[in-house]
Amino acid sequence: MINLVQSLKENVLFTQAILDNVIDGIIIIDNRGIVQSFNRAAETIFGYTADEIIGRNVNMLMPEPYHSEHDDYLENYHATGIQHIIGIGREVEGRRKDGSIFPMDLAVSRSTHNGQPLFIGLVRDITERKRVELMKTEFVSTVSHELRTPLTSITGALGLVVGGALGEVPEQAKVMLDIAYKNSKRLALLINDLLDMEKLAAGKMHLDLQTQPLMPLVEQTLEAVRAYGEQYQVNFELTERADDMQVRVDSGRLQQVLTNFLSNAAKFSPPGAQVEVAVRQHKNAVQVEVIDHGPGISAEFRSRIFQKFSQADSSDTRQKGGTGLGLAISKEFIERMSGLIGFDSEEGQGARFYFQLPVCRTQEITQQPANTFILGAVRLLVVEDDPDIATLLSMMLNRVGYHVDVAANGEVALNYLAHNEYAAMTLDQMLPDQGGAALIRRIRSQTETEALPIIVVSAFIEDGKLVINSEFNAIDWIEKPFEESRLTAAVRRALPTTARMQEVERCMEQRSGVPTQSACKPRVLHVEDDVDLHQIVATIGRDVADFDVANNLAEARANLALERYSLVVLDIGLPDGWGWELLTELKRLNPEPPVIVLSGSEMTQQQQDIVQSALVKTRIPNQNLLDTLKRLLAGNALSKGKTIL
Ligand code: ADP
């Protein structure tokens, strides 16, 4: 008997010694969550002694919301048997005695003692591992961002030479330059993929979801990849279309997914093959599919195809380019746009990659501001005292991209006009403080607004026309109730858009080849500390503008004090601060120049919203940069009226 007691004692001591010496924390709780056992490692991890914990609810080791939810969770488990954590390892957060919160790995298993269930939690503090992971991610991110600036210079410079912008290149040199250009673009793709992946993994990827028609996105993407297809002698054919389908997507990211499908299809197709693209409706969803006639996907590779860095044949990286990240990124994007992605393939017969997106109802569409980007520089004043009509007018004008301010009476309108530059205004004829005619008279008597186009929105236009038309010019009329198309047409007419745009274009055309002689050439300030990149940007835009460079914020301020610029191209990371700091100062200028941010980092939606254009280095081909410069310079000419032409 004594021997038995002795041996039991030894057993208990032996078990306790094991429990005390394992490196992981072991916490045993009963079915109500009350702690039964707390080993030494757990004491070290949480900072409590076993005496302070045993007999108390385990939820005291958890931060919110787990702290409050744990009892319910246990109850639920007993009632339904549904396990969220039991039997599965998870990364969760723990709370130490001093209140600090830390990441930990938790694995829970279930056992029974005297007929009662017990839960054994194995806890490992992973603070250090997380810190190293974060350092690693930050390192990859910093290096990749730093690589963007020089790489943009390299790709931009090679693009100019290869594209013939700087004259003939000897044939032999051209072959080498083509190789260099192709590979610089490959490197840019790799860096962009790496950064996307890292952002998605860190939960920092922001998608700008807008309701919009799908077909134009598909068609633009096809157009953009056509040249890529030609490299592989592959032709893209749109075989089926679904017009009038609206989807809620981030247009850039959707095009990135489709580009990935199309470029894979081209890469893996035999020369001379055709790749078909079909867009078709599927109940409440619309499906876009890309069908190729290449080798297809082997059965062995199918389950891994959407994983990071997975390629069927590791030599693909060298032979076909690519990173094995494209489809992993595409899957994340499509799922975050509430869609699904998939493929089917028979080995040797080709592959069909597709994504499906929910179709948006028309009602959702009407609430969407459309295309604020294109006309972002054009500012309109709506003078209207009825708040509902004012909202309606602003909404309609916002939808087509105008920036709108609303004044509820004549005095407020005059105040707005004195402090801002408007391209046109709409006017309610019956304002609470003065009649429309009186207000127009005052507006016309000021030199700054004597030619301001005015659209009178009135329920009694015939009476008004008699009084006002005889006296003033540049007045248009819209009768209440009015239709959206009537309003936007009137605004378009009021702004001499086409005439001015054409004039700007003509001016630009005349200038090509004679970069320094034109009097109408706008000046652009490029704030960029990388001299090479500045030179590339100035060369890309040399036909449309003259460029000044500022290497830092201080130089930019000095330039802005001396010169009126039609546009500012702004880098963000500058030696003496962030480019964003300059924005408030630019806002105070009259006229306020539009801003293109050309940065190595991806920008948040909020940051993109405060400038006219946000471009990311390595993501922007020369032609797109030139188009953006042209558009904003033309927009600037438009909104500022006489400043350029
Ligand atoms: P990559 O940048 O390597 O193209 P993806 O994630 O886009 O990365 O594709 C991963 C891999 O999937 C490719 O390397 C290739 O092995 C396979 N794959 C993708 N699309 C096709 C296709 N249309 N035909 C055959 N294999 C494909």
Side-chain angles (χ1 to χ4, degrees):
M1 187 67 183
I2 292 170
N3 264 352
L4 188 63
V5 171
Q6 187 65 24
S7 122
L8 271 174
K9 261 189 180 167
E10 270 169 22
N11 252 337
V12 168
L13 286 175
F14 179 65
T15 318
Q16 192 58 47
I18 293 174
L19 276 179
D20 284 346
N21 288 298
V22 286
I23 12 170
D24 290 331
I26 297 176
I27 306 164
I28 301 174
I29 59 169
D30 67 11
N31 59 353
R32 289 170 305 124
I34 304 302
V35 179
Q36 308 294 310
S37 165
F38 198 71
N39 76 341
R40 285 225 183 105
E43 288 181 326
T44 316
I45 293 171
F46 288 94
Y48 287 105
T49 61
D51 292 343
E52 290 172 303
I53 288 285
I54 290 173
R56 299 182 65 186
N57 195 318
V58 72
N59 68 8
M60 66 189 285
L61 304 175
M62 303 170 189
E64 289 298 355
Y66 315 104
H67 175 81
S68 311
E69 287 168 0
H70 193 254
D71 287 353
D72 284 349
Y73 167 68
L74 271 180
E75 239 171 69
N76 238 346
Y77 167 70
H78 296 313
T80 64
I82 297 173
Q83 308 172 351
H84 287 285
I85 213 163
I86 298 161
I88 318 160
R90 271 257 204 115
E91 263 182 31
V92 293
E93 283 181 332
R95 189 174 60 189
R96 299 190 187 95
K97 186 178 179 182
D98 63 9
S100 57
I101 293 168
F102 65 98
M104 62 187 208
D105 265 344
L106 172 67
V108 181
S109 52
R110 190 179 184 280
S111 177
T112 320
H113 184 65
N114 291 339
Q116 289 298 317
L118 280 182
F119 299 96
I120 305 153
L122 211 63
V123 174
R124 181 171 291 180
D125 184 338
I126 54 170
T127 310
E128 186 56 20
R129 193 177 89 201
K130 283 278 165 198
R131 197 180 64 81
V132 174
E133 271 174 21
L134 189 70
M135 262 172 56
K136 197 180 77 192
T137 333
E138 277 173 358
F139 174 76
V140 172
S141 163
T142 314
V143 170
S144 312
H145 281 130
E146 288 303 320
L147 285 174
R148 271 188 163 160
T149 302
L151 193 56
T152 307
S153 290
I154 297 171
T155 319
L158 289 168
L160 284 165
V161 178
V162 167
L166 308 174
E168 274 293 300
V169 182
E171 194 45 42
Q172 266 186 321
K174 173 108 181 9
V175 175
M176 292 297 118
L177 286 169
D178 277 338
I179 294 176
Y181 184 43
K182 198 172 77 198
N183 281 283
S184 71
K185 286 196 291 187
R186 250 182 76 184
L187 197 53
L189 278 181
L190 171 65
I191 287 171
N192 292 340
D193 276 359
L194 275 174
L195 285 168
D196 276 352
M197 206 62 240
E198 173 245 314
K199 273 195 135 184
L200 282 164
K204 287 191 205 148
M205 175 69 77
H206 174 86
L207 297 195
D208 176 22
L209 300 179
Q210 303 276 347
T211 305
Q212 53 200 303
L214 174 64
M215 274 323 287
L217 296 178
V218 173
E219 284 171 327
Q220 282 160 23
T221 315
L222 274 170
E223 212 35 60
V225 293
R226 209 163 282 289
Y228 183 84
E230 278 162 16
Q231 285 177 30
Y232 292 89
Q233 296 165 47
V234 166
N235 182 37
F236 299 115
E237 174 91 20
L238 183 61
T239 53
E240 223 173 305
R241 48 189 306 136
D243 288 298
D244 306 327
M245 287 290 142
Q246 304 267 349
V247 285
R248 188 161 163 72
V249 294
D250 181 313
S251 53
R253 297 313 190 176
L254 186 83
Q255 290 183 312
Q256 190 175 335
V257 173
L258 189 53
T259 304
N260 187 236
F261 281 7
L262 292 166
S263 57
N264 279 346
K267 272 194 309 199
F268 293 99
S269 284
Q274 174 142 311
V275 168
E276 289 108 42
V277 180
V279 185
R280 58 174 74 108
Q281 190 169 6
H282 249 273
K283 295 185 187 139
N284 291 331
V286 58
Q287 174 158 314
V288 179
E289 51 187 62
V290 174
I291 304 146
D292 70 63
H293 306 282
I297 318 294
S298 69
E300 178 273 323
F301 184 58
R302 280 177 203 172
S303 59
R304 290 186 289 127
I305 195 161
F306 288 109
Q307 286 172 10
K308 285 189 259 181
F309 298 107
S310 66
Q311 294 183 313
D313 177 351
S314 56
S315 65
D316 279 355
T317 314
R318 268 167 285 117
Q319 284 176 10
K320 310 222 184 257
T323 55
L325 284 171
L327 287 173
I329 294 171
S330 298
K331 185 168 187 296
E332 290 272 351
F333 281 152
I334 290 294
E335 285 173 0
R336 291 194 45 191
M337 293 189 251
S338 312
L340 67 89
I341 195 168
F343 70 96
D344 35 60
S345 168
E346 222 175 285
E347 220 171 327
Q349 304 288 309
R352 184 178 72 108
F353 280 83
Y354 59 84
F355 59 79
Q356 272 183 19
L357 292 163
V359 173
C360 288
R361 284 170 291 120
T362 343
Q363 212 186 355
E364 290 169 30
I365 302 152
T366 50
Q367 287 158 3
Q368 280 298 315
N371 212 3
T372 38
F373 180 62
I374 294 174
L375 296 169
V378 178
R379 196 163 179 175
L380 304 177
L381 180 64
V382 165
V383 186
E384 172 63 65
D385 65 326
D386 180 327
D388 290 342
I389 299 189
T391 310
L392 187 70
L393 283 163
S394 327
M395 219 177 78
M396 288 175 170
L397 294 169
N398 278 330
R399 272 167 50 77
V400 281
Y402 298 107
H403 179 101
V404 178
D405 293 334
V406 175
N409 62 48
E411 282 316 314
V412 175
L414 289 167
N415 192 26
Y416 266 119
L417 287 166
H419 292 99
N420 303 302
E421 259 199 278
Y422 293 99
M425 71 179 251
T426 72
L427 173 66
D428 176 13
Q429 215 182 333
M430 309 239 258
L431 292 168
D433 58 346
Q434 51 197 289
L439 182 60
I440 295 178
R441 212 163 285 134
R442 289 175 69 184
I443 290 172
R444 287 286 180 260
S445 67
Q446 322 266 339
T447 24
E448 296 85 340
T449 49
E450 63 185 2
L452 178 76
I454 299 174
I455 301 154
V456 182
V457 184
S458 162
F460 312 100
I461 61 171
E462 290 314 319
D463 300 354
K465 270 183 181 173
L466 276 179
V467 186
I468 295 176
N469 272 10
S470 54
E471 207 177 333
F472 305 110
N473 54 9
I475 308 272
D476 199 350
W477 296 84
I478 305 184
E479 188 159 26
K480 287 180 188 167
F482 51 85
E483 276 179 20
E484 189 171 1
S485 56
R486 172 82 186 87
L487 172 73
T488 47
V491 172
R492 252 198 318 272
R493 250 198 328 272
L495 310 169
T497 314
T498 351
R500 286 231 178 109
M501 285 285 237
Q502 281 168 354
E503 227 170 321
V504 173
E505 282 289 333
R506 207 186 54 229
C507 191
M508 287 168 179
E509 270 166 30
Q510 278 172 1
R511 268 187 250 123
S512 34
V514 239
T516 50
Q517 285 170 11
S518 176
C520 57
K521 208 172 202 185
R523 285 199 90 75
V524 172
L525 178 63
H526 188 189
V527 190
E528 168 66 66
D529 55 331
D530 188 286
V531 190
D532 292 342
L533 185 61
H534 167 66
Q535 207 177 332
I536 300 297
V537 170
T539 312
I540 291 170
R542 67 188 172 160
D543 290 341
V544 297
D546 285 328
F547 285 77
D548 287 344
V549 64
N551 289 305
N552 50 45
L553 289 175
E555 276 183 35
R557 289 185 180 112
N559 280 52
L560 287 165
L562 293 173
E563 178 83 44
R564 271 168 66 150
Y565 289 98
S566 302
L567 179 74
V568 175
V569 180
L570 186 61
D571 183 23
I572 294 304
L574 291 160
D576 55 348
W578 298 107
W580 300 117
E581 293 169 35
L582 212 58
L583 289 183
T584 14
E585 290 154 58
L586 290 171
K587 287 228 171 313
R588 277 190 235 118
L589 296 178
N590 191 6
E592 178 196 332
V595 179
I596 298 177
V597 170
L598 181 57
S599 154
S601 313
E602 226 82 35
M603 281 154 268
T604 63
Q605 190 54 40
Q606 221 181 3
Q607 289 169 337
Q608 291 176 32
D609 285 346
I610 51 176
V611 292
Q612 277 69 28
S613 180
L615 308 175
V616 177
K617 291 171 184 173
T618 66
R619 279 206 198 282
I620 173 96
N622 292 357
Q623 187 58 44
N624 289 17
L625 178 59
L626 179 61
D627 289 346
T628 310
L629 287 169
K630 274 190 188 174
R631 195 186 64 234
L632 289 181
L633 288 169
N636 197 26
L638 243 181
S639 63
K640 311 300 178 207
K642 300 149 236 160
T643 48
I644 288 187
L645 297 172

